[in-house]
Structure formats: structure tokens, C-alpha cells
Amino acid sequence: MALVNCRVCGSRVSEDADPCPVCGNKDIIGAKSKSRLLKKVFGVSVAIVALSYLWFVQIPELREKGIFPKTHQK
Ligand SMILES: [Zn+2]
């Protein structure tokens, strides 16, 4: 929990204060929502890459080795 300057009134307030206890500004550091969105997008991208790697690389390898069960045999 870091202290930041409110971009409206300049008070030193907690980064997590919402709204600012001094002036009531709801977006204290301005870029807060943007950086959180970027972190979310980055996290989702990493998850998609990891899942793709697992699906296209690891599972075929495991199936070849007979470790992963072959579920689509019809
Ligand atoms: Zn303020």
C-alpha cells in the first residue's frame, strides 16, 4: 500500500483510497484503472499462451508417450 499524490487536490493519500478522503476524487492517480486493465490483459495473454503451449505441444507429446489418455478414439 503506497502513498500517492491525489491528482486533483495533491494530498498524500493511500493508493488504495477510493475516493480520496480529502477531495472525494474517485480516480486518485488517474492511470490506476488503465494500468490495472493492462495488467489484466497481460495476464490473460500469458494464460492463453500457456494454454496454447500445453494444448499444442505438451498434450500431443504425452499422447505419443501414452501418458495422457486418448479420449477421442472412435
Ligand atoms: Zn484529493
Side-chain angles (χ1 to χ4, degrees):
M1 199 164 81
L3 285 176
V4 293
N5 287 316
C6 172
R7 69 190 178 120
V8 174
C9 68
S11 302
R12 293 287 282 173
V13 293
S14 164
E15 199 178 21
D16 298 323
D18 188 18
C20 170
V22 180
C23 69
N25 169 36
K26 284 183 180 172
D27 192 6
I28 288 166
I29 58 173
K32 184 170 84 172
S33 55
K34 199 178 179 183
S35 70
R36 279 193 184 167
L37 182 70
L38 281 175
K39 274 182 193 170
K40 213 174 196 177
V41 168
F42 179 74
V44 169
S45 304
V46 169
I48 289 171
V49 169
L51 280 174
S52 302
Y53 175 75
L54 189 72
W55 189 253
F56 292 111
V57 179
Q58 287 297 311
I59 289 178
E61 255 179 42
L62 292 175
R63 280 188 180 148
E64 272 177 29
K65 290 174 187 169
I67 298 168
F68 197 88
K70 292 178 183 181
T71 50
H72 297 290
Q73 282 183 331
K74 277 181 183 175

